[in-house]
Amino acid sequence: MRLFQPASKLALSALLPAGFACTGGSPAPGQNAQDHPGRAFYAQYCATCHGADMDGGMASSLVDGQWEFGDSREDIYRSIADGIPEAGMPAYRDVLDERQINLIVDAIQGVEYVPVSRVVEDEPEEYEVLETLDYDVRVEVWVGEGLEVPWGIDFLDASRALVTERAGRLRLVENGQLHPDPIADTPPVVAQGQGGMMAVTVHPDYEENGWIYLAYSRALDDGTSGPSQTSVVRGRIEDHRWVDQETIYRAPEDSHTNARQHFGTRVVFDEAGYLYFVIGDRGDPPTSQRLDSPNGKVHRLWPDGSIPEDNPFVDDEDALDTIYTYGHRNQQGMDIHPVTGDLWTAEHGPRGGDEINLIRAGKNYGWPEITYGIHYDGRTITRERFRPGIEPPVWVWRPSTALCAIEFYRGEQFPLWRNHLLATALRNEDLRLLQVRNDRVIHEEVILRDRGRIRDVTTGPDGAIYLLTSRPHQILRLTAEREVLR
Ligand code: HEC
């Protein structure tokens, strides 16, 4: 099997053997064969006799192409359902249902697992139900029209959410109703290429202080064109107008450029009250390694923009004081782990190098010195993937999914998913659930696909999962229809 296995994945591969990937199936890019739900049933009911890798043990191999009792789908199904009493193969008809047996047959035959979705029609409103390993998930369109490339979302209270549109607008949604007018007087943005209005984050003490943070590509002259760089401001909303604006972060003048890519960004607050945001390499990879450049960094500030005295590089004359970590390419996902309080980020890598990183003060994350990825045109960037002193990723995608936002699930709707990581993808147009144990990812499941490029994910106050999609430009709302065992 040629799938890459970072250290954090070893535990998983020990539990779920690689045999399936060699049985001739062709899992779609990113659809890791180990995720196949048929594998879980196999491990539970069959592995003791047919071997953990399906390659035999007390009973014969199921992956050697030799079939004593028939090799068609129906034959294999029958062998499992009815058993072969004379040979000592138990019957599973009363233990497993049709769907479960079919999943095992799929796993044996190397058939890719695609989460089944069906439209429920006898309800007043049509909605889709996704079958995931833990839940049947109801997918509703929360906002269906009126948005253009929605980029970031955050909730103000139980019923109202703010949504940015990359073109430069801040929108208000109340109970699924999009307010027809954007919030007035928000700052001008350079809405070109990947730039524009990006992150929106409501301060954790919003009820007391009213602060809302925006991050956007800001022109050097505060207009809508010319050299630009990522900037963070805060303001309040009164009478549907943006007021009281203060600049929280403005990059050094010489870092503004006409490049229109890799602006980052998200804004998050941790328990201690620090504010974190990110800037990408702006298309100039070597700047990620330079501590006098804001590019390719995680930055840490106090919420008023002042610099924490314990930032890792404040004593370094040549380094920018806001820098918290360096060596990043373009991070568009950030969240704080609800239990450990650690900052995790999602980094959009080159071809084949999307990463989840666990952020530790002062560390170097390697870009572009080491990476799992290659250039988009196929050229090698480096063959080096590990180097002492450089932080390895927690998780890597090869091929890339075009990783975007991440969110640790925190709500009541999906108790089995609490503290697990939701990760969205642009190119792959999917939402993945990563099971996290301590500092490791131990399992990955695609839970939604083909609903457009997904730029942001958040847990709403109601525990539902909200997704911002592009093409179609919508906000989706995911709730648990019921818990299941698959
Ligand atoms: C108690 C041991 C045992 C368990 C558990 C068991 N099997 Fe079997 N199975 C056998 C034996 C014995 C045979 C007969 C052929 C042989 O000697 O391997 C067999 C035959 C088969 C065959 C037919 C193979 C052929 O050559 O046509 C299939 C398919 C199969 N098992 C699938 C499964 C699956 C799937 C499970 C789990 C749901 C399972 N078995 C669980 C013992 C077992």
Side-chain angles (χ1 to χ4, degrees):
M1 161 149 132
R2 291 191 304 143
L3 287 171
F4 157 68
Q5 305 261 326
S8 56
K9 224 173 170 179
L10 292 177
L12 173 65
S13 57
L15 288 171
L16 297 170
F20 167 63
C22 312
T23 59
S26 53
Q31 174 69 31
N32 191 330
Q34 294 165 345
D35 290 347
H36 202 297
R39 288 301 299 215
F41 293 121
Y42 178 86
Q44 192 177 346
Y45 294 104
C46 327
T48 41
C49 291
H50 290 284
D53 290 339
M54 295 187 179
D55 56 357
M58 287 196 279
S60 60
S61 167
L62 301 176
V63 291
D64 61 358
Q66 311 276 321
W67 297 98
E68 208 180 315
F69 301 92
D71 61 357
S72 73
R73 200 179 164 88
E74 291 68 32
D75 291 333
I76 296 173
Y77 187 100
R78 197 186 49 240
S79 293
I80 301 170
D82 300 345
I84 310 160
E86 66 279 12
M89 163 71 193
Y92 284 90
R93 192 177 285 297
D94 299 331
V95 185
L96 299 167
D97 65 23
E98 206 177 308
R99 193 186 121 80
Q100 293 167 329
I101 296 176
N102 271 315
L103 282 170
I104 297 175
V105 179
D106 285 349
I108 292 172
Q109 294 193 322
V111 177
E112 185 203 348
Y113 174 66
V114 180
V116 186
S117 57
R118 58 178 196 267
V119 174
V120 178
E121 278 162 20
D122 52 0
E123 290 284 320
E125 260 176 275
E126 281 205 350
Y127 61 89
E128 192 183 4
V129 173
L130 302 173
E131 296 182 358
T132 74
L133 291 178
D134 299 318
Y135 297 97
D136 280 351
V137 177
R138 181 193 285 228
V139 185
E140 290 161 294
V141 176
W142 200 54
V143 174
E145 274 167 29
L147 288 170
E148 186 192 341
V149 194
W151 211 98
I153 180 169
D154 203 7
F155 277 81
L156 288 166
D157 54 35
S159 61
R160 295 181 309 153
L162 290 171
V163 179
T164 58
E165 290 175 286
R166 191 173 62 190
R169 294 180 290 267
L170 181 62
R171 309 294 298 265
L172 181 71
V173 181
E174 186 157 5
N175 290 320
Q177 297 295 315
L178 178 67
H179 193 292
D181 306 318
I183 306 291
D185 301 336
T186 53
V189 308
V190 180
Q192 292 170 13
Q194 296 170 2
M197 186 70 85
M198 295 177 286
V200 56
T201 302
V202 175
H203 190 279
D205 299 327
Y206 168 76
E207 275 182 41
E208 286 89 64
N209 63 29
W211 287 123
I212 294 154
Y213 290 73
L214 294 176
Y216 61 99
S217 50
R218 182 170 180 172
L220 195 53
D221 64 3
D222 281 339
T224 56
S225 62
S228 67
Q229 180 61 296
T230 307
S231 176
V232 181
V233 299
R234 71 176 176 187
R236 299 188 172 95
I237 293 176
E238 267 169 33
D239 301 330
H240 215 68
R241 281 177 47 240
W242 181 252
V243 297
D244 301 340
Q245 176 168 307
E246 295 174 2
T247 292
I248 299 303
Y249 177 80
R250 187 121 206 219
E253 197 173 317
D254 63 6
S255 78
H256 289 61
T257 118
N258 285 318
R260 294 292 184 248
Q261 74 263 46
H262 302 180
F263 291 94
T265 186
R266 299 284 168 188
V267 174
V268 303
F269 296 92
D270 71 7
E271 284 293 315
Y274 293 107
L275 176 158
Y276 301 84
F277 72 97
V278 283
I279 301 182
D281 71 8
R282 305 304 322 286
D284 188 3
T287 58
S288 294
Q289 289 291 325
R290 278 183 24 208
L291 294 175
D292 60 353
S293 164
N295 298 349
K297 309 296 186 308
V298 173
H299 297 268
R300 187 173 76 160
L301 296 170
W302 289 116
D304 65 359
S306 59
I307 292 166
E309 272 173 31
D310 57 343
N311 266 8
F313 299 106
V314 283
D315 295 330
D316 182 339
E317 290 274 293
D318 304 320
L320 298 176
D321 293 343
T322 55
I323 295 175
Y324 194 64
T325 58
Y326 63 107
H328 301 285
R329 186 172 177 275
N330 190 32
Q331 300 173 97
Q332 294 190 309
M334 293 180 102
D335 200 11
I336 302 291
H337 190 294
V339 178
T340 64
D342 289 328
L343 177 66
W344 291 51
T345 66
E347 183 161 332
H348 193 109
R351 192 167 133 190
D354 287 353
E355 299 178 352
I356 298 284
N357 284 310
L358 176 51
I359 299 301
R360 302 276 189 222
K363 299 283 186 187
N364 180 2
Y365 287 75
W367 176 255
E369 304 270 307
I370 61 166
T371 173
Y372 287 87
I374 56 175
H375 286 294
Y376 287 112
D377 61 11
R379 281 178 301 125
T380 305
I381 297 170
T382 166
R383 295 212 172 272
E384 221 179 324
R385 293 175 178 173
F386 285 103
R387 190 191 290 177
I390 294 187
E391 288 300 291
V394 172
W395 194 249
V396 169
W397 278 275
R398 298 181 72 203
S400 305
T401 67
L403 183 65
C404 194
I406 53 170
E407 163 92 354
F408 284 101
Y409 180 72
R410 304 178 149 81
E412 303 296 325
Q413 277 281 331
F414 303 96
L416 293 170
W417 293 355
R418 216 170 283 146
N419 304 330
H420 292 322
L421 195 63
L422 295 160
T424 79
L426 299 175
R427 203 209 41 235
N428 273 41
E429 304 196 345
D430 62 28
L431 173 69
R432 285 154 195 254
L433 177 72
L434 309 186
Q435 282 186 31
V436 172
R437 191 162 301 154
N438 302 324
D439 293 347
R440 290 165 143 204
V441 172
I442 56 166
H443 187 261
E444 178 183 352
E445 180 187 1
V446 175
I447 57 178
L448 175 141
R449 55 169 53 151
D450 296 335
R451 298 292 294 244
R453 296 157 73 83
I454 310 178
R455 277 217 168 64
D456 202 5
V457 51
T458 193
T459 313
D462 56 355
I465 295 167
Y466 291 83
L467 301 173
L468 298 187
T469 69
S470 289
R471 280 186 263 133
H473 307 291
Q474 294 183 327
I475 305 178
L476 303 180
R477 178 171 179 267
L478 275 49
T479 49
E481 181 130 292
R482 63 173 162 273
E483 192 180 315
V484 293
L485 268 180
R486 295 202 160 91

PDB file of all heavy atoms in Angstrom, residues 32-58:
ATOM      1  N   ASN A  32     -10.011   6.832   2.023  1.00  0.00           N
ATOM      2  CA  ASN A  32      -9.110   5.847   2.562  1.00  0.00           C
ATOM      3  C   ASN A  32      -9.832   4.532   2.766  1.00  0.00           C
ATOM      4  O   ASN A  32     -10.849   4.463   3.441  1.00  0.00           O
ATOM      5  CB  ASN A  32      -8.563   6.364   3.887  1.00  0.00           C
ATOM      6  CG  ASN A  32      -7.435   5.516   4.378  1.00  0.00           C
ATOM      7  OD1 ASN A  32      -7.384   4.325   4.102  1.00  0.00           O
ATOM      8  ND2 ASN A  32      -6.523   6.140   5.095  1.00  0.00           N
ATOM      9  N   ALA A  33      -9.278   3.452   2.197  1.00  0.00           N
ATOM     10  CA  ALA A  33      -9.935   2.164   2.277  1.00  0.00           C
ATOM     11  C   ALA A  33     -10.190   1.738   3.710  1.00  0.00           C
ATOM     12  O   ALA A  33     -11.125   1.010   4.000  1.00  0.00           O
ATOM     13  CB  ALA A  33      -9.073   1.122   1.574  1.00  0.00           C
ATOM     14  N   GLN A  34      -9.353   2.208   4.604  1.00  0.00           N
ATOM     15  CA  GLN A  34      -9.513   1.802   6.000  1.00  0.00           C
ATOM     16  C   GLN A  34     -10.787   2.351   6.616  1.00  0.00           C
ATOM     17  O   GLN A  34     -11.222   1.900   7.653  1.00  0.00           O
ATOM     18  CB  GLN A  34      -8.301   2.273   6.800  1.00  0.00           C
ATOM     19  CG  GLN A  34      -7.041   1.556   6.369  1.00  0.00           C
ATOM     20  CD  GLN A  34      -5.804   2.253   6.882  1.00  0.00           C
ATOM     21  OE1 GLN A  34      -5.854   3.382   7.313  1.00  0.00           O
ATOM     22  NE2 GLN A  34      -4.694   1.567   6.849  1.00  0.00           N
ATOM     23  N   ASP A  35     -11.345   3.355   5.975  1.00  0.00           N
ATOM     24  CA  ASP A  35     -12.589   3.917   6.480  1.00  0.00           C
ATOM     25  C   ASP A  35     -13.780   3.020   6.183  1.00  0.00           C
ATOM     26  O   ASP A  35     -14.858   3.248   6.679  1.00  0.00           O
ATOM     27  CB  ASP A  35     -12.888   5.263   5.797  1.00  0.00           C
ATOM     28  CG  ASP A  35     -11.918   6.323   6.245  1.00  0.00           C
ATOM     29  OD1 ASP A  35     -11.217   6.075   7.227  1.00  0.00           O
ATOM     30  OD2 ASP A  35     -11.885   7.374   5.595  1.00  0.00           O
ATOM     31  N   HIS A  36     -13.588   2.050   5.298  1.00  0.00           N
ATOM     32  CA  HIS A  36     -14.719   1.283   4.808  1.00  0.00           C
ATOM     33  C   HIS A  36     -15.479   0.651   5.971  1.00  0.00           C
ATOM     34  O   HIS A  36     -14.908  -0.105   6.752  1.00  0.00           O
ATOM     35  CB  HIS A  36     -14.200   0.203   3.862  1.00  0.00           C
ATOM     36  CG  HIS A  36     -15.234  -0.285   2.925  1.00  0.00           C
ATOM     37  ND1 HIS A  36     -16.372  -0.917   3.349  1.00  0.00           N
ATOM     38  CD2 HIS A  36     -15.340  -0.203   1.581  1.00  0.00           C
ATOM     39  CE1 HIS A  36     -17.106  -1.228   2.305  1.00  0.00           C
ATOM     40  NE2 HIS A  36     -16.502  -0.788   1.214  1.00  0.00           N
ATOM     41  N   PRO A  37     -16.773   0.953   6.097  1.00  0.00           N
ATOM     42  CA  PRO A  37     -17.509   0.411   7.235  1.00  0.00           C
ATOM     43  C   PRO A  37     -17.587  -1.114   7.216  1.00  0.00           C
ATOM     44  O   PRO A  37     -17.680  -1.750   8.266  1.00  0.00           O
ATOM     45  CB  PRO A  37     -18.893   1.050   7.120  1.00  0.00           C
ATOM     46  CG  PRO A  37     -18.983   1.605   5.759  1.00  0.00           C
ATOM     47  CD  PRO A  37     -17.583   1.842   5.260  1.00  0.00           C
ATOM     48  N   GLY A  38     -17.497  -1.718   6.025  1.00  0.00           N
ATOM     49  CA  GLY A  38     -17.486  -3.177   5.943  1.00  0.00           C
ATOM     50  C   GLY A  38     -16.293  -3.770   6.686  1.00  0.00           C
ATOM     51  O   GLY A  38     -16.350  -4.875   7.228  1.00  0.00           O
ATOM     52  N   ARG A  39     -15.187  -2.998   6.720  1.00  0.00           N
ATOM     53  CA  ARG A  39     -13.990  -3.461   7.441  1.00  0.00           C
ATOM     54  C   ARG A  39     -14.262  -3.627   8.932  1.00  0.00           C
ATOM     55  O   ARG A  39     -13.717  -4.525   9.571  1.00  0.00           O
ATOM     56  CB  ARG A  39     -12.849  -2.447   7.307  1.00  0.00           C
ATOM     57  CG  ARG A  39     -12.188  -2.349   5.962  1.00  0.00           C
ATOM     58  CD  ARG A  39     -11.579  -3.623   5.500  1.00  0.00           C
ATOM     59  NE  ARG A  39     -10.523  -4.148   6.339  1.00  0.00           N
ATOM     60  CZ  ARG A  39      -9.456  -4.799   5.874  1.00  0.00           C
ATOM     61  NH1 ARG A  39      -9.290  -4.934   4.579  1.00  0.00           N
ATOM     62  NH2 ARG A  39      -8.575  -5.302   6.688  1.00  0.00           N
ATOM     63  N   ALA A  40     -15.065  -2.725   9.471  1.00  0.00           N
ATOM     64  CA  ALA A  40     -15.335  -2.787  10.910  1.00  0.00           C
ATOM     65  C   ALA A  40     -16.138  -4.041  11.248  1.00  0.00           C
ATOM     66  O   ALA A  40     -15.847  -4.742  12.217  1.00  0.00           O
ATOM     67  CB  ALA A  40     -16.088  -1.534  11.349  1.00  0.00           C
ATOM     68  N   PHE A  41     -17.140  -4.350  10.416  1.00  0.00           N
ATOM     69  CA  PHE A  41     -17.912  -5.570  10.654  1.00  0.00           C
ATOM     70  C   PHE A  41     -17.037  -6.798  10.458  1.00  0.00           C
ATOM     71  O   PHE A  41     -17.107  -7.759  11.207  1.00  0.00           O
ATOM     72  CB  PHE A  41     -19.121  -5.635   9.719  1.00  0.00           C
ATOM     73  CG  PHE A  41     -20.138  -4.583  10.010  1.00  0.00           C
ATOM     74  CD1 PHE A  41     -20.491  -3.666   9.047  1.00  0.00           C
ATOM     75  CD2 PHE A  41     -20.734  -4.504  11.268  1.00  0.00           C
ATOM     76  CE1 PHE A  41     -21.423  -2.690   9.314  1.00  0.00           C
ATOM     77  CE2 PHE A  41     -21.667  -3.526  11.543  1.00  0.00           C
ATOM     78  CZ  PHE A  41     -22.015  -2.606  10.564  1.00  0.00           C
ATOM     79  N   TYR A  42     -16.201  -6.745   9.434  1.00  0.00           N
ATOM     80  CA  TYR A  42     -15.300  -7.863   9.179  1.00  0.00           C
ATOM     81  C   TYR A  42     -14.417  -8.111  10.397  1.00  0.00           C
ATOM     82  O   TYR A  42     -14.286  -9.246  10.865  1.00  0.00           O
ATOM     83  CB  TYR A  42     -14.439  -7.596   7.938  1.00  0.00           C
ATOM     84  CG  TYR A  42     -13.480  -8.726   7.690  1.00  0.00           C
ATOM     85  CD1 TYR A  42     -13.867  -9.853   6.965  1.00  0.00           C
ATOM     86  CD2 TYR A  42     -12.201  -8.702   8.254  1.00  0.00           C
ATOM     87  CE1 TYR A  42     -13.004 -10.927   6.801  1.00  0.00           C
ATOM     88  CE2 TYR A  42     -11.333  -9.773   8.091  1.00  0.00           C
ATOM     89  CZ  TYR A  42     -11.737 -10.883   7.362  1.00  0.00           C
ATOM     90  OH  TYR A  42     -10.889 -11.936   7.217  1.00  0.00           O
ATOM     91  N   ALA A  43     -13.849  -7.018  10.926  1.00  0.00           N
ATOM     92  CA  ALA A  43     -12.941  -7.160  12.067  1.00  0.00           C
ATOM     93  C   ALA A  43     -13.665  -7.797  13.246  1.00  0.00           C
ATOM     94  O   ALA A  43     -13.110  -8.606  13.978  1.00  0.00           O
ATOM     95  CB  ALA A  43     -12.376  -5.794  12.454  1.00  0.00           C
ATOM     96  N   GLN A  44     -14.930  -7.435  13.398  1.00  0.00           N
ATOM     97  CA  GLN A  44     -15.687  -7.918  14.553  1.00  0.00           C
ATOM     98  C   GLN A  44     -16.112  -9.385  14.404  1.00  0.00           C
ATOM     99  O   GLN A  44     -16.046 -10.144  15.351  1.00  0.00           O
ATOM    100  CB  GLN A  44     -16.925  -7.033  14.718  1.00  0.00           C
ATOM    101  CG  GLN A  44     -17.639  -7.226  16.030  1.00  0.00           C
ATOM    102  CD  GLN A  44     -18.825  -6.263  16.143  1.00  0.00           C
ATOM    103  OE1 GLN A  44     -18.937  -5.306  15.377  1.00  0.00           O
ATOM    104  NE2 GLN A  44     -19.705  -6.526  17.093  1.00  0.00           N
ATOM    105  N   TYR A  45     -16.545  -9.780  13.198  1.00  0.00           N
ATOM    106  CA  TYR A  45     -17.165 -11.092  13.046  1.00  0.00           C
ATOM    107  C   TYR A  45     -16.323 -12.129  12.298  1.00  0.00           C
ATOM    108  O   TYR A  45     -16.589 -13.310  12.403  1.00  0.00           O
ATOM    109  CB  TYR A  45     -18.513 -10.962  12.318  1.00  0.00           C
ATOM    110  CG  TYR A  45     -19.538 -10.200  13.109  1.00  0.00           C
ATOM    111  CD1 TYR A  45     -19.856  -8.891  12.792  1.00  0.00           C
ATOM    112  CD2 TYR A  45     -20.194 -10.799  14.197  1.00  0.00           C
ATOM    113  CE1 TYR A  45     -20.796  -8.181  13.514  1.00  0.00           C
ATOM    114  CE2 TYR A  45     -21.135 -10.094  14.930  1.00  0.00           C
ATOM    115  CZ  TYR A  45     -21.436  -8.788  14.589  1.00  0.00           C
ATOM    116  OH  TYR A  45     -22.361  -8.099  15.315  1.00  0.00           O
ATOM    117  N   CYS A  46     -15.386 -11.701  11.523  1.00  0.00           N
ATOM    118  CA  CYS A  46     -14.764 -12.636  10.586  1.00  0.00           C
ATOM    119  C   CYS A  46     -13.259 -12.812  10.777  1.00  0.00           C
ATOM    120  O   CYS A  46     -12.695 -13.836  10.392  1.00  0.00           O
ATOM    121  CB  CYS A  46     -15.000 -12.196   9.141  1.00  0.00           C
ATOM    122  SG  CYS A  46     -16.587 -11.381   8.881  1.00  0.00           S
ATOM    123  N   ALA A  47     -12.619 -11.789  11.341  1.00  0.00           N
ATOM    124  CA  ALA A  47     -11.156 -11.770  11.330  1.00  0.00           C
ATOM    125  C   ALA A  47     -10.557 -12.940  12.096  1.00  0.00           C
ATOM    126  O   ALA A  47      -9.493 -13.448  11.726  1.00  0.00           O
ATOM    127  CB  ALA A  47     -10.643 -10.443  11.892  1.00  0.00           C
ATOM    128  N   THR A  48     -11.235 -13.394  13.144  1.00  0.00           N
ATOM    129  CA  THR A  48     -10.656 -14.490  13.930  1.00  0.00           C
ATOM    130  C   THR A  48     -10.369 -15.714  13.069  1.00  0.00           C
ATOM    131  O   THR A  48      -9.374 -16.390  13.282  1.00  0.00           O
ATOM    132  CB  THR A  48     -11.590 -14.934  15.078  1.00  0.00           C
ATOM    133  OG1 THR A  48     -12.907 -14.950  14.587  1.00  0.00           O
ATOM    134  CG2 THR A  48     -11.449 -14.043  16.284  1.00  0.00           C
ATOM    135  N   CYS A  49     -11.232 -15.994  12.096  1.00  0.00           N
ATOM    136  CA  CYS A  49     -10.995 -17.171  11.258  1.00  0.00           C
ATOM    137  C   CYS A  49     -10.281 -16.849   9.947  1.00  0.00           C
ATOM    138  O   CYS A  49      -9.381 -17.558   9.523  1.00  0.00           O
ATOM    139  CB  CYS A  49     -12.315 -17.880  10.938  1.00  0.00           C
ATOM    140  SG  CYS A  49     -13.034 -18.676  12.389  1.00  0.00           S
ATOM    141  N   HIS A  50     -10.716 -15.727   9.297  1.00  0.00           N
ATOM    142  CA  HIS A  50     -10.155 -15.442   7.966  1.00  0.00           C
ATOM    143  C   HIS A  50      -8.944 -14.519   8.013  1.00  0.00           C
ATOM    144  O   HIS A  50      -8.420 -14.140   6.974  1.00  0.00           O
ATOM    145  CB  HIS A  50     -11.234 -14.848   7.054  1.00  0.00           C
ATOM    146  CG  HIS A  50     -12.291 -15.842   6.663  1.00  0.00           C
ATOM    147  ND1 HIS A  50     -12.102 -16.817   5.717  1.00  0.00           N
ATOM    148  CD2 HIS A  50     -13.542 -16.031   7.147  1.00  0.00           C
ATOM    149  CE1 HIS A  50     -13.202 -17.556   5.599  1.00  0.00           C
ATOM    150  NE2 HIS A  50     -14.100 -17.106   6.465  1.00  0.00           N
ATOM    151  N   GLY A  51      -8.517 -14.157   9.239  1.00  0.00           N
ATOM    152  CA  GLY A  51      -7.301 -13.351   9.364  1.00  0.00           C
ATOM    153  C   GLY A  51      -7.598 -11.860   9.305  1.00  0.00           C
ATOM    154  O   GLY A  51      -8.494 -11.423   8.588  1.00  0.00           O
ATOM    155  N   ALA A  52      -6.822 -11.101  10.060  1.00  0.00           N
ATOM    156  CA  ALA A  52      -7.051  -9.658  10.145  1.00  0.00           C
ATOM    157  C   ALA A  52      -6.959  -9.001   8.773  1.00  0.00           C
ATOM    158  O   ALA A  52      -7.650  -8.031   8.487  1.00  0.00           O
ATOM    159  CB  ALA A  52      -6.043  -9.016  11.100  1.00  0.00           C
ATOM    160  N   ASP A  53      -6.081  -9.538   7.913  1.00  0.00           N
ATOM    161  CA  ASP A  53      -5.894  -8.947   6.584  1.00  0.00           C
ATOM    162  C   ASP A  53      -6.730  -9.644   5.518  1.00  0.00           C
ATOM    163  O   ASP A  53      -6.484  -9.463   4.329  1.00  0.00           O
ATOM    164  CB  ASP A  53      -4.421  -9.012   6.170  1.00  0.00           C
ATOM    165  CG  ASP A  53      -3.569  -8.064   6.989  1.00  0.00           C
ATOM    166  OD1 ASP A  53      -4.152  -7.112   7.562  1.00  0.00           O
ATOM    167  OD2 ASP A  53      -2.346  -8.281   7.051  1.00  0.00           O
ATOM    168  N   MET A  54      -7.651 -10.509   5.940  1.00  0.00           N
ATOM    169  CA  MET A  54      -8.485 -11.285   5.011  1.00  0.00           C
ATOM    170  C   MET A  54      -7.673 -12.338   4.269  1.00  0.00           C
ATOM    171  O   MET A  54      -8.167 -12.940   3.316  1.00  0.00           O
ATOM    172  CB  MET A  54      -9.181 -10.390   3.959  1.00  0.00           C
ATOM    173  CG  MET A  54     -10.188  -9.436   4.542  1.00  0.00           C
ATOM    174  SD  MET A  54     -11.082  -8.608   3.209  1.00  0.00           S
ATOM    175  CE  MET A  54     -12.210  -7.573   4.140  1.00  0.00           C
ATOM    176  N   ASP A  55      -6.400 -12.505   4.644  1.00  0.00           N
ATOM    177  CA  ASP A  55      -5.573 -13.409   3.844  1.00  0.00           C
ATOM    178  C   ASP A  55      -5.451 -14.786   4.480  1.00  0.00           C
ATOM    179  O   ASP A  55      -4.508 -15.522   4.217  1.00  0.00           O
ATOM    180  CB  ASP A  55      -4.200 -12.798   3.581  1.00  0.00           C
ATOM    181  CG  ASP A  55      -3.487 -12.424   4.874  1.00  0.00           C
ATOM    182  OD1 ASP A  55      -4.120 -12.592   5.958  1.00  0.00           O
ATOM    183  OD2 ASP A  55      -2.338 -11.979   4.812  1.00  0.00           O
ATOM    184  N   GLY A  56      -6.438 -15.121   5.304  1.00  0.00           N
ATOM    185  CA  GLY A  56      -6.514 -16.487   5.795  1.00  0.00           C
ATOM    186  C   GLY A  56      -5.895 -16.692   7.152  1.00  0.00           C
ATOM    187  O   GLY A  56      -5.127 -15.866   7.652  1.00  0.00           O
ATOM    188  N   GLY A  57      -6.288 -17.801   7.772  1.00  0.00           N
ATOM    189  CA  GLY A  57      -5.816 -18.165   9.095  1.00  0.00           C
ATOM    190  C   GLY A  57      -6.409 -19.520   9.363  1.00  0.00           C
ATOM    191  O   GLY A  57      -6.076 -20.489   8.681  1.00  0.00           O
ATOM    192  N   MET A  58      -7.366 -19.570  10.292  1.00  0.00           N
ATOM    193  CA  MET A  58      -8.069 -20.839  10.529  1.00  0.00           C
ATOM    194  C   MET A  58      -8.907 -21.221   9.320  1.00  0.00           C
ATOM    195  O   MET A  58      -9.135 -22.390   9.049  1.00  0.00           O
ATOM    196  CB  MET A  58      -8.963 -20.697  11.755  1.00  0.00           C
ATOM    197  CG  MET A  58      -8.163 -20.677  13.037  1.00  0.00           C
ATOM    198  SD  MET A  58      -9.242 -20.978  14.418  1.00  0.00           S
ATOM    199  CE  MET A  58      -9.938 -19.375  14.675  1.00  0.00           C
TER     200      MET A  58
END
